[in-house]
Amino acid sequence: MSANRYRLETQTVHAGEPSPRIGGAATVPIFQSSVYELTEGAGYHDIVYPRLNNLPNHTVLARKLAALESGEDGLVTASGMAAITTSLLTVLGQGGHLLTQSSLYGGTHNFVTEDLKKFGLSYDFIDAHRPESWAAKLRPNTRAIYTEALTNPLIEVADHRAVVAFAREHKLVSLIDNTFATPVNFRPLELGYDLSLHSATKYLNGHADLAAGAVIGPAELVSKIRHSLNHLGGCLDPHSCYLLNRGLRTLVLRVRQQNSSARAIAHFLDKHPRVLKVNYPSLESHPQHELAQELFQGFGGVLSFDLEGGTEAARRMIDRVKLPLHGPSLGGTETLIIRPAVSSHAGMSREDRESLGIGDGLVRLSVGIEASEDLIEDLDQALQE
Ligand code: PLP
Protein backbone atom coordinates (compact mmCIF):
# COMPACT_ATOMS: atom_id res chain seq x y z
CA MET A 1 0.00 0.00 0.00
CA SER A 2 1.43 3.36 -0.98
CA ALA A 3 1.70 6.07 1.66
CA ASN A 4 -1.16 8.10 0.20
CA ARG A 5 -3.54 5.20 -0.06
CA TYR A 6 -5.33 4.64 3.20
CA ARG A 7 -6.98 1.38 4.15
CA LEU A 8 -10.63 0.83 3.22
CA GLU A 9 -11.97 1.53 6.74
CA THR A 10 -10.25 4.93 6.68
CA GLN A 11 -11.35 5.73 3.15
CA THR A 12 -15.03 5.08 3.89
CA VAL A 13 -14.81 7.87 6.49
CA HIS A 14 -12.40 10.34 4.89
CA ALA A 15 -12.06 9.76 1.12
CA GLY A 16 -13.60 12.44 -1.06
CA GLU A 17 -14.64 14.67 1.83
CA PRO A 18 -14.14 18.35 1.01
CA SER A 19 -11.04 20.12 2.19
CA PRO A 20 -11.51 22.63 3.70
CA ARG A 21 -14.78 21.32 5.19
CA ILE A 22 -17.86 23.22 4.02
CA GLY A 23 -18.56 25.76 6.80
CA GLY A 24 -16.38 23.57 9.04
CA ALA A 25 -19.08 20.86 9.05
CA ALA A 26 -18.03 17.23 9.72
CA THR A 27 -20.65 16.06 7.21
CA VAL A 28 -21.39 17.60 3.82
CA PRO A 29 -24.59 19.66 4.24
CA ILE A 30 -27.54 18.85 1.99
CA PHE A 31 -27.52 21.29 -0.94
CA GLN A 32 -31.30 21.60 -1.14
CA SER A 33 -31.35 24.11 -3.97
CA SER A 34 -32.06 23.51 -7.63
CA VAL A 35 -30.77 26.94 -8.74
CA TYR A 36 -27.19 28.24 -8.44
CA GLU A 37 -25.63 31.50 -9.59
CA LEU A 38 -24.20 31.17 -13.07
CA THR A 39 -20.52 31.49 -13.91
CA GLU A 40 -20.49 32.75 -17.49
CA GLY A 41 -18.35 30.78 -19.90
CA ALA A 42 -19.01 27.42 -18.23
CA GLY A 43 -20.00 24.64 -20.64
CA TYR A 44 -23.49 23.09 -20.39
CA HIS A 45 -22.31 20.15 -18.26
CA ASP A 46 -20.52 22.53 -15.85
CA ILE A 47 -23.58 24.64 -15.01
CA VAL A 48 -24.31 23.86 -11.36
CA TYR A 49 -27.65 22.06 -11.40
CA PRO A 50 -28.84 18.89 -9.59
CA ARG A 51 -29.51 16.93 -12.79
CA LEU A 52 -25.98 17.63 -14.01
CA ASN A 53 -24.53 15.65 -11.11
CA ASN A 54 -22.25 18.40 -9.91
CA LEU A 55 -23.52 19.46 -6.48
CA PRO A 56 -21.06 19.01 -3.59
CA ASN A 57 -23.31 16.12 -2.48
CA HIS A 58 -22.62 14.39 -5.81
CA THR A 59 -18.92 15.10 -6.03
CA VAL A 60 -18.06 13.91 -2.53
CA LEU A 61 -19.72 10.57 -3.31
CA ALA A 62 -18.11 10.31 -6.74
CA ARG A 63 -14.67 10.77 -5.18
CA LYS A 64 -15.36 8.46 -2.24
CA LEU A 65 -16.70 5.64 -4.43
CA ALA A 66 -13.76 5.97 -6.81
CA ALA A 67 -11.32 5.73 -3.88
CA LEU A 68 -13.05 2.65 -2.44
CA GLU A 69 -12.67 0.67 -5.66
CA SER A 70 -9.41 2.15 -6.99
CA GLY A 71 -11.12 3.96 -9.87
CA GLU A 72 -10.14 7.26 -11.40
CA ASP A 73 -13.69 8.59 -11.15
CA GLY A 74 -17.15 7.72 -9.92
CA LEU A 75 -20.76 8.69 -10.46
CA VAL A 76 -23.90 8.32 -8.40
CA THR A 77 -27.26 7.65 -9.99
CA ALA A 78 -30.93 7.58 -9.00
CA SER A 79 -30.97 3.76 -8.72
CA GLY A 80 -28.92 0.71 -9.51
CA MET A 81 -30.90 0.26 -12.72
CA ALA A 82 -30.08 3.86 -13.73
CA ALA A 83 -26.37 3.01 -13.33
CA ILE A 84 -26.72 -0.24 -15.31
CA THR A 85 -28.94 1.01 -18.15
CA THR A 86 -27.06 4.31 -18.62
CA SER A 87 -23.69 2.53 -18.66
CA LEU A 88 -24.85 -0.15 -21.11
CA LEU A 89 -26.47 2.34 -23.48
CA THR A 90 -23.30 4.45 -23.40
CA VAL A 91 -20.75 1.70 -24.00
CA LEU A 92 -22.85 -0.13 -26.62
CA GLY A 93 -23.29 3.07 -28.65
CA GLN A 94 -25.12 2.85 -31.96
CA GLY A 95 -25.88 -0.72 -33.06
CA GLY A 96 -23.63 -2.42 -30.50
CA HIS A 97 -23.76 -6.05 -29.38
CA LEU A 98 -23.36 -7.23 -25.79
CA LEU A 99 -22.06 -10.50 -24.38
CA THR A 100 -23.59 -11.09 -20.99
CA GLN A 101 -23.63 -13.71 -18.30
CA SER A 102 -27.01 -15.49 -18.44
CA SER A 103 -27.65 -15.50 -14.71
CA LEU A 104 -28.52 -11.85 -14.03
CA TYR A 105 -30.49 -9.77 -11.56
CA GLY A 106 -34.13 -9.88 -12.80
CA GLY A 107 -34.31 -6.17 -13.73
CA THR A 108 -31.08 -6.32 -15.72
CA HIS A 109 -32.20 -9.55 -17.39
CA ASN A 110 -35.47 -7.89 -18.47
CA PHE A 111 -33.68 -4.77 -19.75
CA VAL A 112 -31.26 -6.88 -21.80
CA THR A 113 -33.85 -9.27 -23.21
CA GLU A 114 -36.74 -6.82 -23.74
CA ASP A 115 -35.35 -3.29 -24.13
CA LEU A 116 -31.97 -3.45 -25.90
CA LYS A 117 -33.61 -4.36 -29.21
CA LYS A 118 -35.83 -1.26 -29.00
CA PHE A 119 -32.63 0.81 -29.25
CA GLY A 120 -31.23 -1.25 -32.15
CA LEU A 121 -28.87 -3.10 -29.79
CA SER A 122 -28.38 -6.85 -29.49
CA TYR A 123 -26.99 -9.39 -27.03
CA ASP A 124 -25.94 -12.98 -26.58
CA PHE A 125 -25.81 -14.89 -23.33
CA ILE A 126 -22.56 -16.60 -22.43
CA ASP A 127 -21.88 -19.41 -20.00
CA ALA A 128 -19.76 -17.54 -17.45
CA HIS A 129 -18.02 -20.76 -16.40
CA ARG A 130 -16.88 -21.81 -19.91
CA PRO A 131 -14.52 -19.13 -21.31
CA GLU A 132 -13.62 -21.41 -24.22
CA SER A 133 -17.20 -20.99 -25.54
CA TRP A 134 -17.21 -17.15 -25.61
CA ALA A 135 -15.28 -16.44 -28.82
CA ALA A 136 -17.94 -18.21 -30.90
CA LYS A 137 -20.46 -15.58 -29.75
CA LEU A 138 -18.37 -12.57 -30.85
CA ARG A 139 -19.70 -10.41 -33.68
CA PRO A 140 -17.96 -7.54 -35.51
CA ASN A 141 -20.13 -5.10 -33.52
CA THR A 142 -19.56 -6.69 -30.07
CA ARG A 143 -18.54 -3.84 -27.79
CA ALA A 144 -18.94 -5.02 -24.21
CA ILE A 145 -19.04 -7.97 -21.83
CA TYR A 146 -21.18 -7.91 -18.67
CA THR A 147 -21.12 -9.98 -15.49
CA GLU A 148 -22.19 -9.91 -11.84
CA ALA A 149 -19.61 -10.39 -9.07
CA LEU A 150 -21.76 -12.95 -7.24
CA THR A 151 -25.03 -13.86 -8.88
CA ASN A 152 -28.46 -13.52 -7.40
CA PRO A 153 -29.85 -15.77 -5.91
CA LEU A 154 -27.54 -18.77 -6.50
CA ILE A 155 -24.35 -16.90 -5.50
CA GLU A 156 -22.38 -18.25 -8.45
CA VAL A 157 -18.97 -16.84 -9.36
CA ALA A 158 -18.07 -16.17 -13.00
CA ASP A 159 -14.51 -16.77 -14.14
CA HIS A 160 -13.73 -13.08 -13.63
CA ARG A 161 -10.04 -13.36 -14.55
CA ALA A 162 -11.01 -14.94 -17.86
CA VAL A 163 -13.61 -12.18 -18.49
CA VAL A 164 -10.96 -9.49 -18.04
CA ALA A 165 -8.47 -11.29 -20.29
CA PHE A 166 -11.12 -11.91 -22.97
CA ALA A 167 -12.23 -8.26 -22.90
CA ARG A 168 -8.64 -7.07 -23.34
CA GLU A 169 -7.94 -9.52 -26.16
CA HIS A 170 -11.06 -8.51 -28.09
CA LYS A 171 -11.06 -4.80 -27.14
CA LEU A 172 -14.39 -4.98 -25.32
CA VAL A 173 -15.47 -2.81 -22.40
CA SER A 174 -15.86 -5.09 -19.39
CA LEU A 175 -18.63 -4.19 -16.93
CA ILE A 176 -19.42 -5.87 -13.64
CA ASP A 177 -22.30 -5.43 -11.23
CA ASN A 178 -20.44 -5.48 -7.91
CA THR A 179 -23.53 -4.98 -5.73
CA PHE A 180 -23.36 -8.36 -3.98
CA ALA A 181 -19.63 -8.24 -3.23
CA THR A 182 -19.13 -4.54 -2.32
CA PRO A 183 -15.61 -3.05 -2.27
CA VAL A 184 -15.10 -4.77 1.08
CA ASN A 185 -15.05 -8.18 -0.58
CA PHE A 186 -14.00 -7.44 -4.16
CA ARG A 187 -12.50 -4.52 -6.08
CA PRO A 188 -13.06 -5.44 -9.74
CA LEU A 189 -10.99 -2.60 -11.23
CA GLU A 190 -7.93 -3.97 -9.45
CA LEU A 191 -8.50 -7.25 -11.31
CA GLY A 192 -8.79 -5.39 -14.63
CA TYR A 193 -12.51 -4.72 -15.16
CA ASP A 194 -13.22 -1.37 -16.84
CA LEU A 195 -16.44 -0.44 -15.05
CA SER A 196 -17.88 -1.44 -11.70
CA LEU A 197 -21.59 -0.81 -11.16
CA HIS A 198 -23.67 -0.94 -8.00
CA SER A 199 -27.16 -0.85 -6.73
CA ALA A 200 -26.20 1.45 -3.83
CA THR A 201 -29.74 0.82 -2.57
CA LYS A 202 -28.21 -2.34 -1.06
CA TYR A 203 -24.96 -2.64 0.92
CA LEU A 204 -23.36 0.71 0.04
CA ASN A 205 -26.15 2.60 1.77
CA GLY A 206 -27.08 -0.36 3.93
CA HIS A 207 -30.04 1.06 5.83
CA ALA A 208 -32.99 0.27 3.55
CA ASP A 209 -34.00 3.91 3.30
CA LEU A 210 -33.13 5.04 -0.24
CA ALA A 211 -32.62 3.99 -3.86
CA ALA A 212 -29.30 4.84 -5.54
CA GLY A 213 -26.71 3.50 -7.95
CA ALA A 214 -23.01 3.93 -8.63
CA VAL A 215 -20.58 3.72 -11.55
CA ILE A 216 -16.80 3.54 -10.99
CA GLY A 217 -14.11 3.46 -13.66
CA PRO A 218 -11.58 5.38 -15.77
CA ALA A 219 -12.23 9.14 -15.91
CA GLU A 220 -12.83 9.23 -19.67
CA LEU A 221 -15.42 6.45 -19.66
CA VAL A 222 -17.18 7.72 -16.53
CA SER A 223 -17.36 11.16 -18.11
CA LYS A 224 -19.13 9.70 -21.17
CA ILE A 225 -21.60 7.90 -18.91
CA ARG A 226 -22.12 11.11 -16.90
CA HIS A 227 -23.01 12.96 -20.11
CA SER A 228 -25.60 10.31 -21.00
CA LEU A 229 -26.94 10.41 -17.44
CA ASN A 230 -27.23 14.19 -17.59
CA HIS A 231 -29.50 13.80 -20.62
CA LEU A 232 -31.42 10.74 -19.46
CA GLY A 233 -32.01 12.43 -16.11
CA GLY A 234 -31.28 9.64 -13.62
CA CYS A 235 -29.62 11.92 -11.04
CA LEU A 236 -29.60 11.24 -7.30
CA ASP A 237 -31.34 13.85 -5.17
CA PRO A 238 -29.14 15.66 -2.62
CA HIS A 239 -30.91 14.26 0.44
CA SER A 240 -30.33 10.68 -0.75
CA CYS A 241 -26.70 11.63 -1.47
CA TYR A 242 -26.36 12.74 2.15
CA LEU A 243 -27.85 9.49 3.45
CA LEU A 244 -25.69 7.40 1.13
CA ASN A 245 -22.53 9.13 2.33
CA ARG A 246 -23.61 8.47 5.91
CA GLY A 247 -24.27 4.81 5.12
CA LEU A 248 -20.91 4.41 3.39
CA ARG A 249 -19.05 5.42 6.56
CA THR A 250 -20.03 2.13 8.24
CA LEU A 251 -19.80 -0.08 5.14
CA VAL A 252 -16.78 -2.10 6.26
CA LEU A 253 -18.16 -2.77 9.75
CA ARG A 254 -21.52 -3.87 8.40
CA VAL A 255 -20.27 -6.05 5.56
CA ARG A 256 -17.70 -7.87 7.70
CA GLN A 257 -20.44 -8.74 10.21
CA GLN A 258 -22.70 -9.85 7.35
CA ASN A 259 -19.90 -11.97 5.83
CA SER A 260 -19.28 -13.84 9.06
CA SER A 261 -22.95 -14.22 9.98
CA ALA A 262 -23.97 -15.48 6.54
CA ARG A 263 -21.11 -17.96 6.65
CA ALA A 264 -22.20 -19.28 10.06
CA ILE A 265 -25.81 -19.56 8.89
CA ALA A 266 -24.83 -21.29 5.63
CA HIS A 267 -22.85 -23.91 7.55
CA PHE A 268 -25.70 -24.37 10.05
CA LEU A 269 -28.26 -24.86 7.25
CA ASP A 270 -25.92 -27.15 5.34
CA LYS A 271 -25.95 -29.60 8.26
CA HIS A 272 -29.70 -29.31 8.91
CA PRO A 273 -31.61 -32.51 8.05
CA ARG A 274 -34.54 -30.60 6.49
CA VAL A 275 -32.34 -28.57 4.13
CA LEU A 276 -31.56 -30.16 0.76
CA LYS A 277 -29.01 -27.72 -0.65
CA VAL A 278 -27.38 -24.45 0.40
CA ASN A 279 -25.82 -21.99 -2.06
CA TYR A 280 -22.95 -20.06 -0.46
CA PRO A 281 -19.31 -19.94 -1.65
CA SER A 282 -17.69 -20.83 1.69
CA LEU A 283 -19.21 -24.33 1.45
CA GLU A 284 -16.98 -26.92 -0.15
CA SER A 285 -20.00 -28.16 -2.12
CA HIS A 286 -20.24 -24.78 -3.90
CA PRO A 287 -19.17 -25.27 -7.55
CA GLN A 288 -16.82 -22.26 -7.49
CA HIS A 289 -15.67 -22.62 -3.87
CA GLU A 290 -11.95 -22.37 -4.69
CA LEU A 291 -12.27 -19.63 -7.29
CA ALA A 292 -14.35 -17.57 -4.85
CA GLN A 293 -11.69 -17.95 -2.17
CA GLU A 294 -9.04 -16.73 -4.57
CA LEU A 295 -11.01 -13.72 -5.80
CA PHE A 296 -12.93 -12.44 -2.78
CA GLN A 297 -12.16 -11.32 0.75
CA GLY A 298 -15.59 -12.47 1.90
CA PHE A 299 -18.80 -13.70 0.28
CA GLY A 300 -21.37 -11.17 1.48
CA GLY A 301 -24.62 -11.57 3.33
CA VAL A 302 -26.80 -13.36 0.77
CA LEU A 303 -27.33 -17.10 0.63
CA SER A 304 -30.08 -19.31 -0.73
CA PHE A 305 -31.35 -22.82 -0.03
CA ASP A 306 -33.86 -25.48 -0.98
CA LEU A 307 -35.89 -27.32 1.65
CA GLU A 308 -37.26 -30.82 1.81
CA GLY A 309 -40.94 -30.32 0.95
CA GLY A 310 -40.33 -27.65 -1.74
CA THR A 311 -42.51 -24.57 -2.08
CA GLU A 312 -44.90 -25.51 0.76
CA ALA A 313 -42.02 -26.02 3.19
CA ALA A 314 -40.50 -22.70 2.07
CA ARG A 315 -43.78 -20.86 2.66
CA ARG A 316 -44.14 -22.45 6.10
CA MET A 317 -40.62 -21.47 7.08
CA ILE A 318 -41.11 -17.88 5.93
CA ASP A 319 -44.34 -17.69 7.99
CA ARG A 320 -42.60 -19.03 11.07
CA VAL A 321 -39.42 -16.93 11.27
CA LYS A 322 -39.60 -14.11 13.79
CA LEU A 323 -36.54 -11.95 13.03
CA PRO A 324 -36.21 -11.83 9.22
CA LEU A 325 -38.58 -9.49 7.44
CA HIS A 326 -40.44 -11.08 4.54
CA GLY A 327 -39.36 -8.66 1.84
CA PRO A 328 -37.29 -8.17 -1.31
CA SER A 329 -34.03 -6.21 -1.65
CA LEU A 330 -30.91 -7.00 0.36
CA GLY A 331 -27.84 -5.58 2.03
CA GLY A 332 -29.50 -3.67 4.88
CA THR A 333 -29.05 -3.94 8.63
CA GLU A 334 -32.11 -6.19 9.02
CA THR A 335 -32.27 -9.78 7.79
CA LEU A 336 -34.69 -10.36 4.91
CA ILE A 337 -36.22 -13.60 3.65
CA ILE A 338 -37.98 -14.19 0.34
CA ARG A 339 -38.62 -16.67 -2.42
CA PRO A 340 -36.92 -15.19 -5.54
CA ALA A 341 -39.56 -16.80 -7.80
CA VAL A 342 -42.17 -14.37 -6.42
CA SER A 343 -39.92 -11.36 -5.89
CA SER A 344 -36.57 -10.51 -7.55
CA HIS A 345 -37.19 -12.95 -10.41
CA ALA A 346 -40.98 -12.69 -10.69
CA GLY A 347 -40.66 -10.72 -13.95
CA MET A 348 -38.97 -13.70 -15.62
CA SER A 349 -40.87 -16.58 -17.19
CA ARG A 350 -40.91 -19.83 -15.17
CA GLU A 351 -39.05 -21.45 -18.06
CA ASP A 352 -36.21 -18.87 -17.90
CA ARG A 353 -36.09 -19.13 -14.10
CA GLU A 354 -35.91 -22.88 -14.12
CA SER A 355 -33.25 -22.92 -16.83
CA LEU A 356 -31.13 -20.86 -14.41
CA GLY A 357 -31.80 -23.28 -11.54
CA ILE A 358 -34.17 -20.99 -9.61
CA GLY A 359 -37.00 -23.23 -8.47
CA ASP A 360 -40.28 -22.01 -6.92
CA GLY A 361 -39.23 -23.35 -3.52
CA LEU A 362 -35.82 -21.66 -3.37
CA VAL A 363 -35.50 -19.43 -0.29
CA ARG A 364 -33.11 -16.46 -0.23
CA LEU A 365 -31.80 -14.90 2.94
CA SER A 366 -30.12 -11.49 3.04
CA VAL A 367 -28.37 -11.55 6.40
CA GLY A 368 -28.37 -8.31 8.37
CA ILE A 369 -26.21 -7.23 11.30
CA GLU A 370 -28.17 -8.95 14.08
CA ALA A 371 -26.34 -11.50 16.28
CA SER A 372 -25.72 -14.68 14.24
CA GLU A 373 -26.72 -16.81 17.24
CA ASP A 374 -30.17 -15.17 17.38
CA LEU A 375 -30.68 -15.67 13.66
CA ILE A 376 -29.61 -19.31 13.81
CA GLU A 377 -31.91 -20.01 16.77
CA ASP A 378 -34.77 -18.37 14.90
CA LEU A 379 -34.15 -20.32 11.69
CA ASP A 380 -33.86 -23.51 13.73
CA GLN A 381 -37.25 -23.05 15.39
CA ALA A 382 -38.82 -22.18 12.00
CA LEU A 383 -37.52 -25.47 10.55
CA GLN A 384 -38.94 -27.69 13.34
CA GLU A 385 -41.50 -30.32 12.27
N1 PLP B 1 -28.13 -5.25 -9.34
C1 PLP B 1 -28.42 -6.17 -8.40
C2 PLP B 1 -27.48 -7.31 -8.19
C3 PLP B 1 -29.61 -6.06 -7.68
O1 PLP B 1 -29.90 -6.99 -6.75
C4 PLP B 1 -30.49 -4.99 -7.93
C5 PLP B 1 -31.75 -4.84 -7.20
O2 PLP B 1 -32.18 -5.70 -6.47
C6 PLP B 1 -30.14 -4.07 -8.92
C7 PLP B 1 -28.95 -4.22 -9.60
C8 PLP B 1 -31.04 -2.92 -9.25
O3 PLP B 1 -30.88 -1.93 -8.29
P1 PLP B 1 -31.99 -0.82 -7.93
O4 PLP B 1 -33.17 -1.54 -7.35
O5 PLP B 1 -31.29 0.08 -6.98
O6 PLP B 1 -32.34 -0.14 -9.20
Side-chain angles (χ1 to χ4, degrees), residues 69-358:
E69 287 199 3
S70 310
E72 279 176 5
D73 201 2
L75 177 62
V76 277
T77 62
S79 67
M81 285 309 294
I84 293 165
T85 55
T86 310
S87 298
L88 281 176
L89 292 175
T90 307
V91 302
L92 290 176
Q94 199 177 359
H97 171 252
L98 175 72
L99 292 181
T100 173
Q101 180 171 16
S102 50
S103 175
L104 290 173
Y105 162 64
T108 310
H109 181 275
N110 293 354
F111 175 70
V112 166
T113 56
E114 293 168 20
D115 294 330
L116 283 188
K117 59 177 176 285
K118 298 178 196 161
F119 298 100
L121 304 168
S122 53
Y123 71 94
D124 268 300
F125 284 130
I126 52 168
D127 180 339
H129 312 297
R130 292 182 54 238
E132 69 283 2
S133 65
W134 301 344
K137 302 270 176 95
L138 280 169
R139 297 187 197 168
N141 57 340
T142 307
R143 303 221 173 97
I145 184 163
Y146 185 95
T147 65
E148 294 184 0
L150 294 155
T151 67
N152 178 20
L154 298 176
I155 327 298
E156 291 171 343
V157 184
D159 192 340
H160 293 298
R161 286 199 204 97
V163 174
V164 165
F166 185 82
R168 290 210 171 130
E169 187 186 345
H170 299 285
K171 300 198 174 12
L172 309 178
V173 178
S174 50
L175 303 95
I176 182 168
D177 179 336
N178 200 32
T179 302
F180 269 52
T182 84
V184 181
N185 292 328
F186 187 45
R187 288 168 298 284
L189 272 54
E190 291 176 6
L191 192 76
Y193 270 97
D194 294 309
L195 285 171
S196 170
L197 314 176
H198 285 267
S199 167
T201 314
K202 312 297 184 321
Y203 292 101
L204 294 187
N205 178 56
H207 291 74
D209 52 10
L210 61 78
V215 179
I216 302 158
E220 201 183 326
L221 201 46
V222 173
S223 163
K224 285 185 186 154
I225 297 167
R226 180 178 290 115
H227 277 218
S228 304
L229 187 73
N230 289 353
H231 296 143
L232 293 170
C235 62
L236 190 63
D237 78 273
H239 185 241
S240 292
C241 287
Y242 171 85
L243 288 174
L244 176 54
N245 195 20
R246 185 165 77 162
L248 276 171
R249 287 172 180 233
T250 56
L251 177 73
V252 180
L253 305 178
R254 288 184 282 105
V255 172
R256 289 209 180 127
Q257 165 70 10
Q258 287 163 310
N259 283 343
S260 84
S261 207
R263 185 184 185 101
I265 291 169
H267 288 257
F268 158 77
L269 289 172
D270 193 47
K271 292 199 191 76
H272 199 285
R274 307 207 53 214
V275 178
L276 295 178
K277 184 174 181 236
V278 183
N279 306 303
Y280 194 71
S282 66
L283 297 167
E284 278 178 29
S285 57
H286 186 282
Q288 295 91 37
H289 169 68
E290 282 181 11
L291 177 65
Q293 281 185 315
E294 283 165 29
L295 291 172
F296 300 122
Q297 275 84 60
F299 309 124
V302 181
L303 58 112
S304 60
F305 50 95
D306 281 299
L307 294 175
E308 204 178 76
T311 308
E312 273 322 302
R315 284 207 183 101
R316 196 171 53 240
M317 182 187 185
I318 291 172
D319 279 349
R320 283 185 180 179
V321 288
K322 298 195 174 89
L323 287 173
L325 201 85
H326 181 204
S329 201
L330 59 110
T333 51
E334 59 292 307
T335 298
L336 303 174
I337 193 165
I338 47 138
R339 284 192 300 125
V342 293
S343 53
S344 56
H345 291 67
M348 229 184 243
S349 68
R350 177 187 294 255
E351 201 184 22
D352 280 351
R353 270 200 313 269
E354 285 179 354
S355 73
L356 296 174
I358 305 167

